[in-house]
Amino acid sequence: MVQNSANPIAITICMGSSCFSRGNNRSIGVIQSFLETRQGEPAIEVCGRLCEGQCKLGPNLCVNGRDYHEVDPVMVLGLVNDALVHRREDT
Ligand code: FES
């Protein structure tokens, strides 16, 4: 899912079974709802990835190349908001 393709904030969610079942399944819904309420806002690109062997640290998620561990659906909103704030500061 992509909103506005110019210089997007990149969110990569581990879709491996461990991360998915322990929270990323809910985080995806949170991100989708967030994007639906922010049409026309800075670009956010969301994609999934396969298990990268860091299941013990999960649920894992990556925002703009930085890995985050033990991410829960509440925390994911904070990560996205932080990325948006930093993006505005950089422009
Ligand atoms: S399932 Fe996410 S790192 Fe293994």
Side-chain angles (χ1 to χ4, degrees):
M1 100 188 68
V2 177
Q3 279 191 335
N4 186 352
S5 59
N7 192 22
I9 292 167
I11 301 172
T12 306
I13 302 171
C14 180
M15 301 294 280
S17 59
S18 177
C19 289
F20 191 80
S21 65
R22 292 190 295 143
N24 280 357
N25 55 341
R26 295 187 309 275
S27 290
I28 291 170
V30 168
I31 292 170
Q32 283 180 320
S33 296
F34 180 84
L35 294 178
E36 287 169 7
T37 63
R38 297 183 65 97
Q39 296 290 331
E41 285 290 318
I44 300 175
E45 181 179 302
V46 182
C47 65
R49 71 179 180 201
L50 299 175
C51 173
E52 294 185 339
Q54 298 188 342
C55 311
K56 287 183 181 176
L57 301 174
N60 300 311
L61 182 146
C62 178
V63 180
N64 289 340
R66 181 172 179 182
D67 289 326
Y68 294 91
H69 308 289
E70 299 181 0
V71 176
D72 62 39
V74 174
M75 183 179 170
V76 76
L77 273 183
L79 294 174
V80 173
N81 276 315
D82 283 352
L84 287 168
V85 168
H86 286 115
R87 187 176 188 275
R88 287 187 194 113
E89 291 172 352
D90 292 343
T91 55

